[in-house]
Amino acid sequence: MSVSISSLRLAVQHVSFVVLTFGGHFNIFLGSSLPCLSCPFVGSCGGGCYLMAWQRAMSWLFPPLVEALTGVGSWARAWSTLNFFLSGFVVFALLVIVLGKSWCGWVCPFGVVQDYLARLRRLLGLREAEMSERVKAGVSNVKYVLLAYLTLMPVLYSFGWLSRDFVLSFCNICPAKIIMPLATLDYNRLGLPVLSSSPRAVFALILLAVTGGMVAAMFFKDRFFCLVCPMLAMINIFRRLHLLRLVKDVGSCRGCGSCRRTCAMDNQTIYRERESARPHDPDCLGCFSCAEGCSTEGSLGVRLGPLNLFGSTPVHAIGRLTGGKK
Ligand code: SF4
Ligand code: SF4
Ligand code: SF4
């Protein structure tokens, strides 16, 4: 009996969701360098989203280095600061290199929440909103702007140009900060200081507006948040090193478009690729639905380093295509 990619993925997503959002109740904590939105604002989270650790690191990393370079501070302090930063970053990089984009398609708890919103829409018989390729390409660039924003703001704080409220600049406006505690009924760390002094109140109001808009967007468009998620931008930085990846035998591809139709992100790159055996789309989530939906023997596959884990077959595709997007 063979297990389909979609059922295996569903099982892994649910196990990850339980471990990453309720693991704290069982003393599970997988570190603070996870390449997915496993949000520490959920009191019982079983591992921390690296975006939070990255923002914190940016708020203390540079001043000791600048001080050492200008002779004001010691190199010993600069090196120990750098070492501390690298200990978290190297773990993040290794996790990304091994699992690649599948952190998004298979592990991320916020991805699971988005998938449930899309399921609810389908259950209600509502059609998915359409987005032209041009609009999608524009929206997709937002993730890089957000990555620059969440890096720069804490750096400016570290040199005294902004207040402490800007350290977690992205968390302050990240919809997962509200949605994940609500989805897991764990509100202990959820604070919305709308009545406090600026800029905390401004951040709280922006967060409420972003979350409301994002819930609607994620309901009408599959994985809309993923399109703008700065974690995906960080994962993309290592794209040439990802061990778990999609492969394409461009010679056998018939151009039928099944891969395009099964993709939750409406990615076109895998379908259009006619040269490289390692197609890459900046919005790909590594879910491998396209490989499962491809009806040509061996045209699309999944590899972990040199190991072939899956190759497309007509049999898998029949099961997948009758289910449409999942
Ligand atoms: S891109 Fe989507 S799945 Fe990936 S980390 Fe962001 S929210 Fe999670
Ligand atoms: S608020 Fe968002 S960015 Fe911050 S830790 Fe939570 S999921 Fe990550
Ligand atoms: S291109 Fe394939 S692996 Fe990437 S998100 Fe779309 S269906 Fe999933």
Side-chain angles (χ1 to χ4, degrees):
M1 190 188 76
S2 72
V3 182
S4 70
I5 285 191
S6 31
S7 7
L8 184 63
R9 178 172 161 244
L10 204 61
V12 172
Q13 279 186 302
H14 284 91
V15 171
S16 305
F17 187 90
V18 171
V19 171
L20 294 179
T21 55
F22 299 110
H25 290 308
F26 308 98
N27 290 329
I28 295 174
F29 190 73
L30 304 176
S32 302
S33 296
L34 297 184
C36 62
L37 299 201
S38 175
C39 187
F41 286 99
V42 173
S44 58
C45 91
C49 160
Y50 186 62
L51 292 181
M52 180 184 268
W54 174 264
Q55 290 168 95
R56 291 217 159 107
M58 291 302 110
S59 74
W60 46 250
L61 178 61
F62 293 104
L65 297 177
V66 172
E67 283 165 18
L69 281 168
T70 52
V72 180
S74 73
W75 275 106
R77 183 164 166 252
W79 284 128
S80 78
T81 309
L82 195 59
N83 270 335
F84 190 57
F85 163 73
L86 287 177
S87 62
F89 183 71
V90 167
V91 173
F92 170 78
L94 288 176
L95 292 173
V96 172
I97 288 169
V98 176
L99 279 193
K101 298 192 158 212
S102 296
W103 282 98
C104 296
W106 292 64
V107 183
C108 179
F110 199 53
V112 175
V113 169
Q114 292 183 73
D115 288 349
Y116 269 100
L117 279 171
R119 265 190 208 117
L120 178 65
R121 185 196 70 237
R122 279 185 220 116
L123 210 67
L124 296 173
L126 298 171
R127 282 179 52 182
E128 185 183 5
E130 287 185 14
M131 201 188 272
S132 72
E133 271 193 70
R134 220 169 116 222
V135 172
K136 186 188 166 209
V139 175
S140 166
N141 285 329
V142 171
K143 62 168 92 58
Y144 301 102
V145 176
L146 287 174
L147 181 56
Y149 161 78
L150 70 83
T151 303
L152 190 62
M153 292 294 133
V155 173
L156 292 180
Y157 156 77
S158 72
F159 289 104
W161 291 330
L162 288 174
S163 75
R164 190 168 188 82
D165 298 311
F166 287 84
V167 172
L168 295 181
S169 275
F170 181 70
C171 294
N172 285 340
I173 57 165
C174 173
K177 184 184 177 185
I178 292 190
I179 294 171
M180 291 312 294
L182 290 180
T184 52
L185 305 177
D186 189 343
Y187 323 112
N188 288 342
R189 294 185 191 167
L190 180 64
L192 283 171
V194 273
L195 297 178
S196 68
S197 58
S198 285
R200 294 181 74 207
V202 175
F203 272 131
L205 290 171
I206 294 174
L207 177 59
L208 285 172
V210 168
T211 304
M214 214 28 103
V215 168
M218 294 185 302
F219 177 76
F220 285 108
K221 187 85 195 130
D222 291 3
R223 294 280 186 132
F224 182 83
F225 180 79
C226 295
L227 210 50
V228 299
C229 177
M231 183 65 89
L232 187 53
M234 283 190 108
I235 292 174
N236 280 344
I237 292 170
F238 297 92
R239 67 180 179 278
R240 289 186 196 286
L241 303 174
H242 294 168
L243 294 179
L244 185 62
R245 62 183 193 270
L246 199 64
V247 286
K248 181 170 183 176
D249 174 15
V250 287
S252 68
C253 171
R254 294 176 296 129
C256 66
S258 299
C259 51
R260 197 180 47 182
R261 287 190 291 278
T262 47
C263 179
M265 301 297 283
D266 297 326
N267 292 336
Q268 308 280 333
T269 314
I270 312 304
Y271 163 68
R272 288 190 184 143
E273 183 62 64
R274 293 290 177 263
E275 284 175 12
S276 171
R278 292 186 60 167
H280 173 260
D281 191 296
D283 301 318
C284 175
L285 306 175
C287 67
F288 308 130
S289 291
C290 49
E292 191 178 29
C294 171
S295 57
T296 308
E297 191 83 35
S299 260
L300 284 181
V302 180
R303 259 197 213 160
L304 178 64
L307 296 177
N308 282 324
L309 299 183
F310 179 84
S312 55
T313 67
V315 177
H316 283 115
I318 289 167
R320 186 65 186 81
L321 291 173
T322 47
K325 283 187 183 185
K326 279 181 189 166

